Amino acid sequence: MGKKLVWFRQDLRVRDNPALHEAANEGEVVAVFIEAQEQRKQHHESAAKVGFIFDTLLELRSELNELGIPLHIKTCATFTDQISALQQCIKEYDADSIYFNREYPVNEMERDKELVERLKKEEIAVHQYDGDLALEPSLVKNKQGEPYKVFTPYKKAWIEIHKHSPIEPLSSPHKQTSNIHNQVTEDFSQEYRHDLWQAGEVAAHERLNQFLDGVDQYKDQRDIPAVAGTSFLSPYLAMGSISAKQCIHALLEHYDGDEQKLYGNTWFSEIVWREFYRQILIDNPQIAKHKAFNTSAKEVWVNNKEAFEAWKEGRTGFPIIDAAMRQLNQTGWMHNRLRMNAAMFLNKLCLVDWRLGEKYFMEKLIDGDFASNNGGWQWCSSTGADGAPYFRIMSPLSQSKRFDPKGDFIRKLVPELEGLDNKSIHEPSVEQRKKVGYPEPVIDYKSARKRALELLS
């Protein structure tokens, strides 16, 4: 009997990995990861994310090796090359079947379809699983059997299914006896903030457990960028070193099995939002081709290059927006409340196409995830599923005063303003700006808001 080839993708974990679990039950496993470097660039994914993936793979290899499973790390250019590389791996490692967990963007789905067709001709068995969502894809539908387009009813239906089908993450596969030798390692490492992000499945669970100790404060602290009030698990979820299923199960265990506490938890809602955006992608593949979810929404964007460049560089003259963008540029991560603030500022107040902001975020984020990033940008621009109404435009000044009242976050990321008092730091005067070399606002908020409402209504 031939070996079972497990192809790792966005599921870089040993536990709760359906493809790995099932392959190990069937025979001797050999694992492979193939980085499609040019394809990654075409998808605008950041160097920080690529670097974090590589280090995560090294941690994954250590865990797999303890189970007697080798992991070969290879590189190629495109998804087409990935298919050829996998065919070569099947021959080289004497495999009779391949196991992997599904990915849902269009290019990935097309690649997998082509792989299946090629391997069918070679009589190689292909086993595909769903390991990315907590509930099976397309399971949550309305009474007419159609997918939801609004989050709140989706969440209610999601909960009803979960009540009758409790989630139980898979355990680690059993240890096999094969010897580990000559593992291929083709280096594609990149720089990222190692001081902020420790790679690997163990680190992901340590961060989850640490967060759960204070999870009941999440609702009150999650919107305050100056405090560590969020889970910081998004990079680990993006590359699958922890699963949504594991997060939900751990939260339920934290509440000693009390489902009502689970369903009422604000962080739980955020995980279900992640599920919702993935289902939107599955049902609406056109959004992976730069199309708006809501085709009837007005798109009135203008070519405001000056504002876009200022936004990217964190010099818009609006302190909270600049602090947010500098956090992104310096760390590869941005606080979620600020992601909304920065997005609405760009596409509604500056009238810059949301697609440009979506792309820039992907180019910088260590947790860049197409479904969530696209969903967030389309929500903010009022083009997406359950999008904010066109007249919802977050005021940078009121958001700054509300969520960073003493200017602590601004002082940290915009140090030229650190000497200002707690009131001035949100909206420095002309004199204060000149004195410290901080730019004038790239837009007049009141007139920009008025123009946006006129154009979008």
Side-chain angles (χ1 to χ4, degrees):
M1 181 181 290
K3 295 177 182 176
K4 313 304 171 185
L5 181 66
V6 174
W7 177 23
F8 279 93
R9 293 123 70 96
Q10 288 182 308
D11 52 358
L12 306 184
R13 61 185 181 274
V14 170
R15 287 173 283 171
D16 196 38
N17 189 318
L20 176 64
H21 187 86
E22 293 301 322
N25 285 340
E26 293 299 321
E28 185 179 341
V29 172
V30 58
V32 65
F33 181 94
I34 304 170
E35 174 69 4
Q37 294 175 296
E38 290 303 315
Q39 196 82 42
R40 183 86 66 181
K41 291 177 184 177
Q42 291 174 23
H43 290 173
H44 311 299
E45 297 194 18
S46 72
K49 181 179 178 181
V50 172
F52 197 47
I53 286 172
F54 184 79
D55 283 0
T56 300
L57 284 166
L58 298 181
E59 295 296 323
L60 175 63
R61 172 183 279 171
S62 295
E63 292 196 55
L64 288 171
N65 287 178
E66 289 181 9
L67 297 172
I69 299 172
L71 172 62
H72 301 284
I73 302 170
K74 300 189 175 190
T75 61
C76 67
T78 66
F79 281 168
T80 300
D81 298 323
Q82 255 183 352
I83 295 172
S84 299
L86 286 164
Q87 290 177 291
Q88 182 60 37
C89 287
I90 288 168
K91 294 175 183 176
E92 185 177 348
Y93 306 134
D94 190 28
D96 63 9
S97 52
I98 185 170
Y99 294 71
F100 57 86
N101 297 308
R102 292 183 181 90
E103 294 176 310
Y104 308 114
V106 170
N107 292 155
E108 286 81 347
M109 295 283 279
E110 290 176 349
R111 171 202 58 195
D112 294 350
K113 182 180 179 182
E114 174 67 20
L115 175 66
V116 171
E117 289 175 356
R118 285 205 207 176
L119 295 184
K120 185 177 181 180
K121 294 176 182 177
E122 299 177 13
E123 297 184 344
I124 301 295
V126 179
H127 304 273
Q128 302 182 61
Y129 304 90
D130 291 294
D132 191 37
L133 287 87
L135 293 183
E136 291 290 309
S138 304
L139 192 61
V140 184
K141 293 188 176 181
N142 63 22
K143 292 179 180 178
Q144 289 73 44
E146 298 171 345
Y148 285 97
K149 298 180 180 180
V150 178
F151 175 71
T152 299
Y154 172 88
K155 178 185 171 184
K156 289 180 180 178
W158 195 103
I159 287 173
E160 286 304 311
I161 292 173
H162 180 259
K163 283 180 180 178
H164 299 98
S165 307
I167 290 170
E168 188 69 39
L170 296 167
S171 59
S172 298
H174 57 76
K175 189 171 183 177
Q176 62 184 38
T177 57
S178 59
N179 294 321
I180 306 296
H181 58 86
N182 299 328
Q183 293 179 107
V184 176
T185 307
E186 296 181 6
D187 189 348
F188 60 89
S189 58
Q190 299 272 358
E191 285 302 311
Y192 64 94
R193 289 290 298 273
H194 292 78
D195 58 320
L196 299 178
W197 309 105
Q198 183 180 353
E201 184 173 359
V202 173
H205 284 273
E206 287 176 351
R207 190 158 289 209
L208 171 62
N209 293 333
Q210 183 180 2
F211 171 67
L212 289 176
D213 288 340
V215 70
D216 291 328
Q217 283 75 55
Y218 175 78
K219 181 178 181 180
D220 297 323
Q221 295 185 348
R222 68 180 180 136
D223 285 325
I224 306 172
V227 303
T230 65
S231 72
F232 297 100
L233 283 167
S234 54
Y236 301 97
L237 283 162
M239 57 205 59
S241 47
I242 197 168
S243 71
K245 186 181 290 187
Q246 288 173 314
C247 290
I248 293 170
H249 186 72
L251 182 59
L252 182 59
E253 285 193 328
H254 174 77
Y255 287 134
D256 297 320
D258 189 329
E259 289 186 343
Q260 291 312 306
K261 286 186 177 180
L262 170 72
Y263 300 144
N265 181 272
T266 304
W267 185 60
F268 164 79
S269 283
E270 293 301 308
I271 300 173
V272 180
W273 264 107
R274 181 180 184 272
E275 301 264 303
F276 178 63
Y277 280 144
R278 272 160 166 64
Q279 190 60 53
I280 290 295
L281 174 59
I282 292 168
D283 294 325
N284 303 272
Q286 75 275 9
I287 67 173
K289 297 182 178 180
H290 314 295
K291 303 293 184 182
F293 171 86
N294 181 2
T295 55
S296 64
K298 284 190 177 180
E299 298 212 49
V300 293
W301 324 122
V302 299
N303 183 17
N304 193 342
K305 187 175 181 180
E306 180 184 353
F308 183 44
E309 292 301 317
W311 177 83
K312 289 195 293 185
E313 295 169 12
R315 51 175 183 83
T316 66
F318 290 82
I320 195 65
I321 302 300
D322 292 340
M325 295 307 296
R326 294 184 194 187
Q327 182 184 42
L328 173 64
N329 292 334
Q330 292 171 22
T331 70
W333 185 85
M334 188 192 290
H335 186 276
N336 188 58
R337 164 62 57 173
L338 299 184
R339 295 189 196 203
M340 293 188 287
N341 292 167
M344 280 201 181
F345 178 86
L346 183 70
N347 62 52
K348 286 188 173 175
L349 293 175
C350 298
L351 293 176
V352 172
D353 193 329
W354 58 267
R355 297 167 184 84
L356 296 174
E358 176 198 24
K359 176 185 173 185
Y360 188 74
F361 268 30
M362 283 299 292
E363 290 172 343
K364 293 293 181 179
L365 287 170
I366 192 170
D367 64 354
D369 174 274
F370 177 81
S372 295
N373 188 51
N374 179 275
W377 274 94
Q378 291 218 42
W379 184 89
C380 289
S381 66
S382 304
T383 63
D386 200 11
Y390 77 89
F391 51 80
R392 182 174 185 184
I393 303 175
M394 294 178 176
S395 161
L397 183 58
S398 62
Q399 290 281 306
S400 184
K401 290 178 177 178
R402 180 180 177 186
F403 297 114
D404 191 27
K406 296 181 180 180
D408 294 335
F409 183 76
I410 293 172
R411 286 189 178 88
K412 182 179 179 182
L413 275 299
V414 191
E416 60 265 41
L417 300 180
E418 63 183 355
L420 299 187
D421 60 70
N422 292 351
K423 181 178 180 181
S424 300
I425 198 166
H426 301 288
E427 191 178 24
S429 67
V430 174
E431 292 75 17
Q432 288 170 328
R433 291 170 187 269
K434 286 182 178 178
K435 186 175 181 180
V436 299
Y438 185 66
E440 286 292 309
V442 293
I443 57 164
D444 175 74
Y445 171 73
K446 288 184 178 179
S447 59
R449 176 182 169 82
K450 182 180 178 182
R451 184 187 184 198
L453 290 174
E454 289 171 350
L455 291 172
L456 293 170
S457 62

